[in-house]
Amino acid sequence: MAKINAVITGVGAYVPDYILTNQELSTMVDTSDEWIMTRIGIKERRILKGEGKGSSDLAVESISELLRKTNTSPEEVDLVICATVTPDMQFPATANIISDKLGINNAFGFDINAGCSGFLYALATGTKYVQSGLYKKVIVVGTEKMSSIVDYTDRQTCPIFGDGSGAVMLEPTTEDIGVMDEMLHSAGFGRKHLHQKAGGSCKPSSHETVDAREHYIYQEGRHVFKHAVSNMADVSVEMMQKHGLTNETLDWLVPHQANNRIIEATAERMELPKEKVMINIQKFGNTTSATLPLCLWEWEDELKKGDNIILSAFGAGFTWGAIYLKWGYDGDK
Ligand code: UT7
């Protein structure tokens, strides 16, 4: 029997309308457009406004576009895998809330929390379900309302993050396209440098934890930066070497958008020219699980069937990894 590959057959994405500029941020904390552009490379980020709105609402928009573009009705979907660190609630899983809101009634769903590598982990997981032959339409969505856990009095972290959502459809094919390989890693020692202190079972929410601002992102930027640069570059180069890819035969790098300096260091180690590296951090900031599909969505019209693409990310956990895929179709759907 022919081998079943899992191929991306469409991309949808959504960013909310509200634009938080460096100018506005510099009225909130002691920072400047110049510092943020030089040290991080972000000009503006999107923020979801509105009482009671969560990550699922962003995903409803991105998946609605995906269903439209792939001509899929909600009832046809078999599985929804949602990567997020900002679930609507501790439980149930945001995947279930998204499915309910969209009328995806014949599917099962679950969440994956792998920090900024969430989309990679979710894509790798979805791939296995498709390759098994059991499931034919698997949605992988990365969706984040990062503004719900950003401390807008902490100048070290508040410029970095933004809200957004991106989703892909995975379907089976016997052609030699789709997800080819994955290299995924995690190392829990990194948690001391990047975590949320309260709200979990170790330290449930209380008046004290709220007063101590412990429900926001805690990040020791310099430590995270050091590990991100070396691990993202190492794993991306390793993936190239394993598959005999060169800077000529690799068509695109889709890097996690955390800091322009991390992206540049990764591309440099891969000896890739700028034109092959997707970068939209200046517009959207770090949307955690949503950065990779937001890039695929923005560059979709330039992609061609068979293009060699490496997706690469690093994030909380620590988690990091790379996925090598061959693109499934020509241009924008
Ligand atoms: O996606 C999840 C994974 N996360 C990441 O990949 C983030 C990795 N880390 C980073 O991107 C960077 O470490 C940051 C952007 C968070 C910080 O940049 P940095 O170049 O590492 O700055 P730093 O923390 O070493 O701080 C340098 C200086 C300090 O001043 P002194 O001590 O040298 O006087 C900070 O107080 O910059 C100061 N600073 C700021 N100045 C103006 C820190 N934040 C700001 C700010 N505006 N927003």
Side-chain angles (χ1 to χ4, degrees):
M1 221 173 74
K3 180 174 180 278
I4 301 172
N5 285 322
V7 65
I8 292 175
T9 55
V11 193
Y14 176 76
V15 287
D17 293 335
Y18 190 85
I19 298 174
L20 175 58
T21 61
N22 289 348
Q23 175 64 32
E24 185 178 352
L25 267 181
S26 59
T27 66
M28 298 154 74
V29 288
D30 181 15
T31 191
S32 65
D33 177 58
E34 206 250 325
W35 192 93
I36 300 171
M37 281 306 287
T38 317
R39 305 307 297 165
I40 320 178
I42 300 172
K43 197 84 192 156
E44 57 192 42
R45 63 294 287 147
R46 302 300 181 101
I47 304 295
L48 179 62
K49 300 276 185 183
E51 195 70 22
K53 296 261 183 215
S55 296
S56 72
D57 297 291
L58 297 166
V60 162
E61 299 294 337
S62 64
I63 296 174
S64 294
E65 186 189 59
L66 177 70
L67 294 174
R68 227 174 17 251
K69 283 167 76 174
T70 55
N71 212 6
T72 308
S73 70
E75 299 79 28
E76 290 177 88
V77 176
D78 295 312
L79 167 59
V80 176
I81 306 177
C82 174
T84 188
V85 298
T86 50
D88 280 20
M89 305 171 181
Q90 282 268 24
F91 70 91
T94 302
N96 301 128
I97 302 171
I98 295 167
S99 297
D100 181 52
K101 287 181 175 175
L102 283 167
I104 296 177
N105 297 324
N106 297 318
F108 67 110
F110 55 87
D111 289 1
I112 285 184
N113 177 341
C116 294
S117 310
F119 188 78
L120 288 183
Y121 278 47
L123 188 62
T125 306
T127 294
K128 303 298 183 299
Y129 279 103
V130 172
Q131 287 172 339
S132 74
L134 284 176
Y135 304 102
K136 305 235 171 329
K137 288 188 189 291
V138 173
I139 290 176
V140 176
V141 60
T143 193
E144 306 282 5
K145 185 184 172 187
M146 294 305 293
S147 59
S148 64
I149 56 168
V150 167
D151 183 350
Y152 287 99
T153 66
D154 174 8
R155 71 173 183 169
Q156 290 228 26
T157 54
C158 73
I160 300 173
F161 297 97
D163 301 340
S165 179
V168 300
M169 183 73 77
L170 276 178
E171 296 187 64
T173 178
T174 50
E175 285 187 74
D176 183 32
I177 50 172
V179 177
M180 296 286 124
D181 199 6
E182 72 189 44
M183 291 178 180
L184 301 178
H185 300 278
S186 52
F189 78 86
R191 71 188 182 282
K192 62 177 175 289
H193 302 303
L194 181 51
H195 58 266
Q196 188 176 350
K197 292 190 183 298
S201 55
C202 272
K203 203 173 198 187
S205 309
S206 67
H207 287 293
E208 287 73 28
T209 62
V210 172
D211 290 344
R213 310 184 77 78
E214 289 180 341
H215 297 268
Y216 295 120
I217 298 163
Y218 171 83
Q219 175 168 260
E220 294 164 4
R222 259 179 247 187
H223 290 280
V224 180
F225 186 89
K226 196 178 74 189
H227 290 281
V229 165
S230 58
N231 287 312
M232 234 173 93
D234 283 353
V235 75
S236 307
V237 169
E238 197 185 339
M239 185 64 94
M240 276 178 94
Q241 287 170 348
K242 183 174 171 193
H243 292 276
L245 292 162
T246 66
N247 57 5
E248 283 178 11
T249 55
L250 181 65
D251 296 291
W252 297 98
L253 169 68
V254 189
H256 173 52
Q257 314 279 310
N259 186 316
N260 206 30
R261 290 182 291 142
I262 299 174
I263 299 173
E264 279 174 1
T266 304
E268 201 173 300
R269 282 274 308 281
M270 297 167 82
E271 298 178 7
L272 274 189
K274 270 200 174 75
E275 312 79 70
K276 291 191 171 189
V277 185
M278 297 186 191
I279 303 177
N280 58 15
I281 188 172
Q282 71 284 357
K283 288 193 292 190
F284 303 137
N286 182 351
T287 55
T288 305
S289 303
T291 58
L292 301 178
L294 270 170
C295 283
L296 292 174
W297 174 71
E298 192 166 344
W299 270 266
E300 186 187 19
D301 60 347
E302 291 183 42
L303 301 180
K304 289 183 213 63
K305 187 169 177 179
D307 273 358
N308 287 311
I309 302 180
I310 288 181
L311 294 88
S312 171
F314 181 91
F318 291 142
T319 58
W320 68 100
I323 283 183
Y324 163 44
L325 58 84
K326 290 187 191 171
W327 195 245
Y329 55 93
D330 292 327
D332 206 342
K333 285 216 158 175

